[in-house]
Amino acid sequence: MTRKKAHIISHSHWDREWFLPLESLRFRLVTLMDEVEDLLDKEAGFNHFHMDGQMIMLEDYLAVKPAKREKMKQLVADGKLRIGPWYMLQDAFLTSGEANIRNLQYGLEMAEEFGQAEKIGYFPDTFGIYGQVPQLMRQAGFDTVVFGRGVNPTGFNNQVFDSAFASKYSEMFWESPDGSKVLGILLANWYSNGNEIPTDKEAAKIFWDKKLADVERFASTDEWLFMNGCDHQPVQTNLAEALEVARELYPEVDFIHSHFEKYQDAVKAGLEPEKLQTVHGELTSQQSDGWSTLANTASSRIYLKQANAKIERLLERLAEPISVMATEAGVSYPHEYLAFAWKLLMENQIHDSITGCSLDEVHREMEARFEKVEQTTMAIIQNAARKITEQIATNDAGIPITVFHAGGVEATRTVELELETDAIHFSEMHFELIPDELAKLPEQSFRMETSNGEEIPVVVEPLGIHFNYDLPERKFRDSYFARKYKLTFTVEHLPAVGYQTIYAHPVAVSDDEKELTGDLQLENQYLKVEIAPNGTYSILDKEMAVEVAGLGAYEDVGDIGNEYMFKETGDNLRINTFNSKPAVRVLREDKLGKTIEIKHEIEIPVSASATFAEEKRRLVWHPDRTSHRSDNRTTFKITTELTLNKHDKQLTVRVKLDNQVDDHRLRVLLPTGKQTETHQAGSVFEVVTRTNKQVEEWTNPANDNRKQGFVTSGNIVVASLDLPEYEVSEQGDRLELTLLRAVSEIGDWGDFPAYEAECHREITAEFHVFLTDESSVNVPAQVNALLTPTFAIQHPSSSKEKNLADTKDFAKWKVADGLVFSAFKLAKDNQPIIRFYQTASEPKLLNTVNLWRKSTILEETAGDAKNQFTVKPNEIITLKGV
């Protein structure tokens, strides 16, 4: 008979910041690590400590005790301290695909600096996991993934339910949409099932009788996993003694102080593959009652999601690509600075941070970090763009402006730029006299042209006379005053990945600007948008002859949930704008397009009723709460701006809110034009198809989901970077997009007020709506390009040699429909990297001008250099230049 083996893994799940702020927890971390070091050095039988799969834990410790670096390296080299593979434990759905890859890349790089990484995909507490994990892990060289959520449901304080829809075994196979498969190990009894093992024999007998039975219930092999630790758990200093007691009590069981690689090797050796189920795609606790999916972290503190999405795109679509372009201007690729920016951003992407489910102090610090990383990223972008423009050969007529774009497909974009003219430097005139001198100059406007002389429509807004300064490379700062103008213009045929230079010509001011017509509709060659008396709007796509009406009503409901989960108030009081009569006016109409403003005012309760405070105090679990909305009401204003520019194939909707109301959720309601059983949403390196109707066991009235980039149902596509939560009706005929969710507590295992989660602040939410006939495979690539920012820069004065073309496309590749552009950067060896993912249902071709080799996500190449690649459905393909 095979002996049972109990693998005890010492660890502490380290939520870097959560119910305590960072520095309070760092103090505990330093104590923990000092004790771990002492045990690993001196305690016979205490052999290993698992560092929670994240390098930032070690980084935080060494920030306080840098002299311990060599000691930590020695412990890693000896196999005692088990580190990596991630830089930090992220939220999977609220961070982009590229952010997930950088997290793994930087984590492994740091682990290798210390000696070696634990070769296992580790997702102990991720709030659901995207379906492409097996493919990414396989490309990273891992064949086993350990995870805690997504299959079995969990409840209050991470209680594990005895459920009919739980996984039969803790071991299973997990398959990505492309067919990549890994061994999945579910922490079926959570990552604390071997915590605080008794040394007293009587207590140990009670402990192990239960724990052994719990694990045997799920285990498919005789290799059993016990996680000795929990959230911020101090290390068990008497563990060696506790295991000796266990060996004495249960001589038929081998108790091993183990680590994950040893455990996974033992499990694989004992597997009977035919016994195991295979789970497919994303793991979001779909087979559960729906009350503990943690999906509503997608709408907690929506301002955090907005800041994160903005900076991710700045890094992925401007900082990295423009830095590649700048190498042609002789600029070194800023590997270290980009890593610094990414890591700073990742500090905010940890699963208890970006989800918005921590204390107010935590999220205030996050906002400061977002400001820092945006400053860092913009410095990288501006430096690279300036170096390029200094060397672009331009014609002598007009003021040159270069627009950078990296959306993966050629694009037309409306761009804004602040332009300076007539600068007078302090070295030329006493600074007190300069503003008056500039004021004497005649008013002017601008005409804009391409380098070929084709006119570009532009709207000019004078901004007056402003102080500014240059910081020359080899001189002291250079101060000046200049006239400033805001230019808004449309650029056609922007390169897929590259730049285009255009010219602004000063001209006399004319009176040819269009006056506001007062016509309350929007129309161009592609779309027609009409406004109904209640403020809803219809969109007609002229090319497809598809129309959807009744878009854009708002619905406000009470929320007595928490930062993790939405729970509607017991009175089910919903207030909408269907019967409202908003104020509607033309806000802007010019040669570029038109904006219509719709102002709603609705009367809504100021908060939940007084009984809600008692429910929170008594820790009533959110599904069981029944409080109503308050009888006191206030006016809640919603300002909507609908914009359709002349070249747009989408309607842009901007919603402005000044929220001073508590305990509620606001959504925009969007009919889809038809009934469906399923819908599709963008996710991490894939488009996932989800059913509208939940399983029979689902008892939560809500069916909220998370998206990246877009969601499409029926005839509409809704695209946004920073509004990740939505719901589609069971019939598929209505899509609801969350704009704001205001709550007052963390939730989970205690009474933790978080009043700033009520989001008393101004919030601007933006999304785009366009129509589809469901026959196009190009929607993901279209949305990807639509949500790509541009960067425009006025050329600096420069004496450098002008040897760069004024327009250049670096995209020396041609992709078939269904391939979505994801990255353009340099590898550590300074070879170019490009990445795409495939969303079509059949193989597609990727053709390149230059020779490339296929690479993994870790930028390790294999195979011959060639210029044509067949990309199978749902494949993530990375190519490295040769």
Side-chain angles (χ1 to χ4, degrees):
M1 181 179 177
T2 306
R3 289 179 61 80
K4 310 294 184 183
K5 298 182 181 65
H7 293 259
I8 291 84
I9 295 182
S10 293
H11 79 110
S12 185
H13 176 57
W14 206 259
D15 298 302
R16 189 174 189 247
E17 48 190 16
W18 179 27
F19 63 92
L20 287 172
L22 168 62
E23 297 309 328
S24 299
L25 287 171
R26 193 200 302 262
F27 190 88
R28 295 177 61 87
L29 173 65
V30 171
T31 301
L32 167 72
M33 292 305 301
D34 285 346
E35 290 184 341
V36 165
E37 176 194 344
D38 193 58
L39 285 169
L40 291 174
D41 273 347
K42 301 175 182 177
E43 183 72 19
F46 192 95
N47 305 314
H48 311 286
F49 188 82
H50 176 65
M51 290 286 286
D52 201 33
Q54 53 177 334
M55 294 304 303
I56 199 169
M57 189 176 174
L58 188 54
E59 195 172 69
D60 284 346
Y61 171 65
L62 293 174
V64 177
K65 296 197 170 185
K68 292 288 187 180
R69 178 174 292 270
E70 293 307 314
K71 179 61 179 180
M72 296 298 108
K73 284 185 176 181
Q74 185 60 54
L75 291 174
V76 172
D78 292 343
K80 295 180 177 181
L81 199 62
R82 314 297 297 189
I83 62 173
W86 301 103
Y87 179 67
M88 54 81 199
L89 293 179
Q90 77 279 34
D91 182 88
F93 284 103
L94 296 177
T95 51
S96 71
E98 291 300 324
N100 275 267
I101 287 179
R102 298 303 182 284
N103 186 12
L104 189 60
Q105 286 178 314
Y106 292 132
L108 288 171
E109 285 178 14
M110 187 176 173
E112 288 163 5
E113 290 174 6
F114 280 82
Q116 58 185 333
E118 190 101 63
K119 299 292 187 181
I120 191 164
Y122 194 61
F123 299 84
D125 197 19
T126 312
F127 300 174
I129 320 180
Y130 52 86
Q132 290 283 33
V133 162
Q135 182 177 180
L136 292 176
M137 293 299 100
R138 278 292 187 180
Q139 288 201 30
F142 302 173
D143 62 6
T144 305
V145 173
V146 174
F147 58 96
R149 297 187 191 272
V151 177
N152 284 8
T154 56
F156 180 80
N157 200 20
N158 295 326
Q159 170 193 0
V160 178
F161 290 124
D162 184 3
S163 168
F165 43 89
S167 171
K168 182 177 181 181
Y169 294 118
S170 52
E171 298 81 32
M172 65 198 75
F173 293 114
W174 184 10
E175 188 173 306
S176 277
D178 74 311
S180 299
K181 187 181 288 189
V182 294
L183 173 64
I185 296 175
L186 172 67
L187 300 172
N189 296 289
W190 206 233
Y191 53 69
S192 56
N193 69 319
N195 195 28
E196 298 179 350
I197 302 171
T199 55
D200 175 79
K201 287 186 178 181
E202 185 175 340
K205 185 71 168 61
I206 296 170
F207 177 92
W208 283 114
D209 279 352
K210 182 178 188 312
K211 297 295 184 178
L212 291 169
D214 285 346
V215 171
E216 185 173 25
R217 174 170 166 252
F218 286 106
S220 67
T221 74
D222 293 324
E223 310 292 336
W224 296 351
L225 177 64
F226 296 91
M227 299 292 287
N228 177 234
C230 197
D231 301 345
H232 313 106
Q233 178 79 21
V235 63
Q236 183 169 350
T237 56
N238 62 353
L239 180 64
E241 179 186 353
L243 294 186
E244 284 301 321
V245 171
R247 293 178 185 117
E248 182 180 342
L249 289 173
Y250 302 89
E252 73 280 8
V253 178
D254 290 335
F255 288 87
I256 306 164
H257 195 220
S258 192
H259 57 78
F260 270 114
E261 287 190 9
K262 179 185 290 187
Y263 167 70
Q264 73 167 350
D265 290 345
V267 168
K268 285 187 283 189
L271 276 181
E272 299 177 50
E274 65 279 0
K275 291 171 58 175
L276 302 188
Q277 66 171 325
T278 298
V279 294
H280 299 271
E282 62 181 5
L283 305 179
T284 59
S285 299
Q286 306 99 310
Q287 303 291 320
S288 75
D289 63 6
W291 280 113
S292 297
T293 65
L294 312 189
N296 299 113
T297 54
S299 55
S300 293
R301 302 179 189 257
I302 199 73
Y303 58 91
L304 299 177
K305 282 66 172 176
Q306 293 178 315
N308 179 69
K310 176 184 179 181
I311 296 167
E312 280 182 336
R313 280 280 155 155
L314 289 177
L315 281 166
E316 296 165 13
R317 297 305 165 85
L318 290 177
E320 289 180 337
I322 297 178
S323 293
V324 178
M325 300 174 202
T327 59
E328 296 208 351
V331 181
S332 297
Y333 189 81
H335 290 285
E336 295 86 0
Y337 224 112
L338 283 165
F340 173 78
W342 271 114
K343 288 178 181 179
L344 187 55
L345 177 60
M346 286 181 207
E347 290 187 49
N348 279 354
Q349 294 186 332
I350 297 171
H351 58 284
D352 287 311
S353 300
I354 188 56
T355 49
C357 58
S358 297
L359 288 179
D360 292 337
E361 297 94 316
V362 167
H363 298 303
R364 286 199 295 271
E365 186 170 358
M366 284 180 65
E367 290 192 85
R369 278 194 214 116
F370 277 133
E371 289 183 8
K372 287 179 64 175
V373 71
E374 183 172 355
Q375 293 162 7
T376 301
T377 305
M378 289 307 303
I380 295 170
I381 294 167
Q382 290 163 350
N383 179 69
R386 183 184 178 97
K387 295 294 187 183
I388 292 169
T389 53
E390 283 177 341
Q391 298 183 41
I392 289 178
T394 61
N395 62 47
D396 294 329
I399 302 168
I401 298 165
T402 295
V403 182
F404 293 86
H405 173 257
V409 297
E410 185 181 280
T412 297
R413 289 288 177 270
T414 299
V415 179
E416 291 184 357
L417 171 74
E418 289 190 356
L419 184 78
E420 291 182 338
T421 67
D422 306 303
I424 300 178
H425 295 256
F426 287 13
S427 59
E428 301 173 74
M429 183 182 295
H430 193 282
F431 66 86
E432 292 181 350
L433 303 176
I434 297 174
D436 290 339
E437 189 68 21
L438 288 172
K440 298 175 185 177
L441 298 176
E443 294 183 18
Q444 68 178 9
S445 187
F446 296 89
R447 175 175 52 83
M448 298 194 73
E449 293 180 348
T450 67
S451 57
N452 296 326
E454 299 173 7
E455 187 164 355
I456 296 172
V458 59
V459 174
V460 180
E461 178 186 350
L463 299 178
I465 298 167
H466 289 264
F467 165 81
N468 206 346
Y469 60 89
D470 283 327
L471 296 175
E473 290 183 5
R474 296 290 179 267
K475 295 181 180 179
F476 188 57
R477 61 178 181 258
D478 184 6
S479 302
Y480 62 89
F481 281 101
R483 296 203 286 181
K484 185 181 288 187
Y485 303 85
K486 179 183 175 182
L487 306 187
T488 306
F489 51 93
T490 300
V491 186
E492 297 185 70
H493 309 300
L494 277 171
V497 179
Y499 61 82
Q500 181 183 156
T501 301
I502 58 178
Y503 298 87
H505 301 269
V507 296
V509 175
S510 65
D511 298 322
D512 63 350
E513 293 298 318
K514 293 181 66 173
E515 296 183 1
L516 301 184
T517 64
D519 180 17
L520 299 180
Q521 68 176 25
L522 305 166
E523 188 168 9
N524 63 14
Q525 61 182 313
Y526 305 111
L527 301 179
K528 182 176 182 180
V529 180
E530 295 185 302
I531 317 297
N534 67 355
T536 60
Y537 40 92
S538 64
I539 302 178
L540 169 66
D541 187 300
K542 298 178 180 180
E543 294 179 316
M544 292 187 294
V546 174
E547 183 174 17
V548 176
L551 299 158
Y554 296 97
E555 184 173 71
D556 190 85
V557 305
D559 189 344
I560 50 174
N562 51 47
E563 290 182 322
Y564 291 98
M565 291 296 293
F566 166 78
K567 172 62 167 69
E568 188 169 358
T569 48
D571 53 6
N572 299 118
L573 176 61
R574 299 188 170 205
I575 299 165
N576 60 55
T577 61
F578 287 123
N579 297 317
S580 64
K581 293 183 179 180
V584 184
R585 67 176 178 132
V586 177
L587 187 64
R588 160 207 154 231
E589 188 172 7
D590 52 44
K591 64 183 69 176
L592 298 182
K594 187 174 178 180
T595 299
I596 291 178
E597 179 189 77
I598 305 168
K599 284 194 170 184
H600 286 95
E601 293 187 0
I602 55 176
E603 299 297 313
I604 65 173
V606 297
S607 66
S609 63
T611 60
F612 183 38
E614 179 65 10
E615 287 184 314
K616 289 185 289 185
R617 189 187 68 81
R618 293 175 49 237
L619 304 182
V620 176
W621 195 35
H622 61 275
D624 301 325
R625 295 174 178 179
T626 60
S627 292
H628 290 198
R629 304 187 77 174
S630 170
D631 292 330
N632 297 326
R633 296 200 175 199
T634 189
T635 301
F636 188 75
K637 298 178 180 180
I638 307 168
T639 300
T640 307
E641 295 176 3
L642 305 180
T643 297
L644 185 67
N645 289 322
K646 287 194 173 180
H647 295 275
D648 290 348
K649 295 185 177 181
Q650 73 285 336
L651 176 68
T652 297
V653 184
R654 182 176 289 112
V655 185
K656 297 179 179 180
L657 311 167
D658 184 3
N659 181 56
Q660 302 301 323
V661 177
D662 292 345
D663 312 323
H664 72 126
R665 182 188 71 187
L666 182 72
R667 282 181 160 177
V668 59
L669 311 180
L670 302 162
T672 67
K674 63 169 64 174
Q675 293 191 355
T676 59
E677 293 183 354
T678 63
H679 67 275
Q680 291 187 313
S683 188
V684 178
F685 293 123
E686 69 169 323
V687 176
V688 61
T689 298
R690 295 173 177 149
T691 58
N692 299 334
K693 185 176 181 179
Q694 285 295 350
V695 295
E696 183 179 349
E697 295 87 357
W698 193 277
T699 60
N700 188 345
N703 180 19
D704 302 324
N705 275 298
R706 290 157 288 193
K707 67 170 180 63
Q708 288 201 357
F710 76 97
V711 57
T712 178
S713 182
N715 290 124
I716 72 167
V717 179
V718 178
S720 66
L721 275 178
D722 51 14
L723 298 172
E725 182 183 284
Y726 73 92
E727 184 173 8
V728 174
S729 64
E730 189 171 299
Q731 296 76 28
D733 56 355
R734 189 165 86 172
L735 189 155
E736 302 179 5
L737 185 68
T738 304
L739 306 179
L740 169 71
R741 197 166 73 87
V743 295
S744 59
E745 65 165 359
I746 293 180
D748 199 7
W749 61 277
D751 183 12
F752 297 106
Y755 299 114
E756 290 172 21
E758 296 284 12
C759 297
H760 290 175
R761 58 173 67 206
E762 293 182 357
I763 289 178
T764 299
E766 183 174 283
F767 59 94
H768 309 274
V769 183
F770 60 96
L771 305 188
T772 177
D773 59 4
E774 299 185 302
S775 64
S776 174
V777 297
N778 287 323
V779 166
Q782 284 178 272
V783 170
N784 184 55
L786 174 64
L787 299 178
T788 292
T790 56
F791 179 74
I793 182 173
Q794 178 181 351
H795 285 214
S797 57
S798 172
S799 59
K800 294 189 177 182
E801 184 178 351
K802 310 291 187 178
N803 53 12
L804 296 180
D806 67 355
T807 297
K808 182 163 184 178
D809 192 348
F810 289 76
K812 304 301 182 184
W813 56 80
K814 184 177 181 181
V815 297
D817 293 347
L819 282 169
V820 182
F821 172 75
S822 187
F824 181 49
K825 60 186 291 287
L826 291 191
K828 288 180 69 175
D829 61 4
N830 288 318
Q831 291 300 314
I833 292 288
I834 55 175
R835 184 161 30 252
F836 300 85
Y837 60 97
Q838 222 271 65
T839 62
S841 58
E842 64 280 337
K844 295 289 184 177
L845 286 180
L846 169 56
N847 294 295
T848 65
V849 174
N850 303 323
L851 293 176
W852 300 75
R853 281 193 174 89
K854 198 168 182 180
S855 168
T856 68
I857 60 169
L858 300 182
E859 299 167 6
E860 300 162 341
T861 57
D864 297 331
K866 53 185 180 178
N867 55 17
Q868 185 179 82
F869 299 85
T870 299
V871 190
K872 64 182 181 180
N874 300 298
E875 181 181 357
I876 304 163
I877 183 169
T878 305
L879 301 181
K880 188 174 183 179
V882 296

